[in-house]
Amino acid sequence: MTAEGGGAEEPVGVQRPVRKGLLLSHARTWRVYESATYGLLGLAGAYAGGAGAGRAPGAGVLLGVWGVCTLGGIGGAYLGDYLGRDIDAAAKPHRPIPSGALRPSHALAAAVSCIATALVWALLLDWRAPVVLAGAFGLHLVYHRRLKTAGLLGDVTEGTATLAGLVLFGAAAVHQLSSPAVWPVAGAAAVHGTLYNLFLAIGDAEGDRRARCLTLPVRRGARVATGVAALLVVPWLGAAGWAAAVAGPVAGAAGAAAWLCLALATGCDAVSVARLVRQARTPGGPTRRSALFAAELNLAARSLAVCAYLFLAGGTGAGSVAAVAVLLVVLAAGRHQMTRYELGVPPPDPG
């Protein structure tokens, strides 16, 4: 395989030194700042499904949902990097596979292992759960093979697969996929995932143009892309508000914490979108760091919004554990890992 295919494979029998950064390369491929939120999305789906049945899911089921979603998300990250290695070789050669820090065959093996384990684990929860999970992986595969260059359609497909798919999986795991409380949560997740993908695409426009990857910013420019991002905030707020209304009013500390988290989530996305829209009107357009900062704020908003729902649907205990655990991981790992994964180690941004 050539470098264009994501890094050359060495002949069998050649002795290679152990790379010092191999473990770090795997950790960067996991995208801890993202994978830390996957389990939360599954838990939100489980609690939404439980609301339809009039009971909260048990601790064993919740642990299984969190584990499958986290492991499946990591497997999807490996698979995405393996399938996207050609584009990364042209647009982001610093990433683990095109840089040679991680072999393509090793990434594929890790993807297959994680996904297969997640599917088997899901089957132990409910027979419908692996069907939903397989559908999410299928959309993820279609995105990387066919729709990554399809502009906004690709962003919607990936946002639905990676976020809404996990919510639906959580509902399937508690046998309540048809619960009406599930769909506003899944809809909010799908829109928010689309917004996240769009932020990354705005920051990646120059590299995607070199790689002939026709994302929305490449096709229509930064002004149109940021305008679409601003419009997406409206259905996200609508779906999030609908989900909160279906969860019902909660009195006391849990209710106050939920609305505080939701207000902070709204503020994060409002700030990121407003900043990008303002920069898109300037001759230089949004900088890569500004778009990346918008994506980081979007991840924080994702965590806060899911925590808000868990406060409403699961009570103070569920919301508090989720808020503390995930926000610590996202805030601690986000800027350090995300900057290096998306940008490599660039010079300071003058803008």
Side-chain angles (χ1 to χ4, degrees), residues 121-137:
W121 195 354
L123 185 60
L124 299 177
L125 298 173
D126 184 86
W127 69 268
R128 287 159 289 202
V131 175
V132 174
L133 198 62
F137 282 126

Side-chain angles (χ1 to χ4, degrees), residues 139-140 142-144 146-162 193-194 197-198 201 214-216 219:
L139 285 177
H140 186 60
V142 169
Y143 165 73
H144 280 283
R146 292 282 181 257
L147 298 180
K148 194 168 185 176
T149 62
L152 186 61
L153 177 60
D155 296 325
V156 172
T157 302
E158 179 70 346
T160 301
T162 55
T194 302
N197 252 36
L198 191 52
L214 302 180
T215 61
L216 182 63
R219 289 171 179 265

Side-chain angles (χ1 to χ4, degrees), residues 82-329:
Y82 174 79
L83 295 174
R85 64 196 188 281
D86 290 344
I87 292 175
D88 285 347
K92 297 178 181 178
H94 59 271
R95 282 188 170 180
I97 293 179
S99 69
L102 181 63
R103 289 185 180 185
S105 58
H106 290 181
L108 180 60
V112 171
S113 299
C114 290
I115 292 171
T117 304
L119 290 170
V120 172
W121 195 354
L123 185 60
L124 299 177
L125 298 173
D126 184 86
W127 69 268
R128 287 159 289 202
V131 175
V132 174
L133 198 62
F137 282 126
L139 285 177
H140 186 60
L141 181 63
V142 169
Y143 165 73
H144 280 283
R145 297 297 293 178
R146 292 282 181 257
L147 298 180
K148 194 168 185 176
T149 62
L152 186 61
L153 177 60
D155 296 325
V156 172
T157 302
E158 179 70 346
T160 301
T162 55
L163 300 194
L166 296 175
V167 172
L168 295 176
F169 166 79
V174 297
H175 329 298
Q176 294 295 327
L177 187 57
S178 61
S179 170
V182 172
W183 298 102
V185 182
V191 176
H192 213 244
T194 302
L195 188 58
Y196 177 72
N197 252 36
L198 191 52
F199 285 152
L200 291 180
I202 291 170
D204 293 345
E206 182 180 346
D208 286 338
R209 192 173 289 110
R210 290 197 306 269
R212 299 180 182 179
C213 184
L214 302 180
T215 61
L216 182 63
V218 172
R219 289 171 179 265
R220 304 297 300 274
R223 293 191 67 171
V224 171
T226 54
V228 171
L231 291 175
L232 285 174
V233 173
V234 177
W236 177 70
L237 288 175
W242 181 18
V246 172
V250 176
W259 290 110
L260 175 61
C261 287
L262 194 56
L264 290 173
T266 302
C268 285
D269 278 335
V271 168
S272 58
V273 168
R275 186 179 182 189
L276 286 182
V277 168
R278 185 177 67 252
Q279 288 191 353
R281 294 173 180 169
T282 64
T287 64
R288 293 190 71 188
R289 283 191 176 275
S290 293
L292 186 62
F293 180 63
E296 290 172 340
L297 283 178
N298 182 268
L299 277 172
R302 179 195 305 180
S303 304
L304 287 163
V306 180
C307 287
Y309 185 78
L310 291 177
F311 272 116
L312 291 175
T316 306
S320 298
V321 170
V324 172
V326 175
L327 287 179
L328 281 177
V329 172

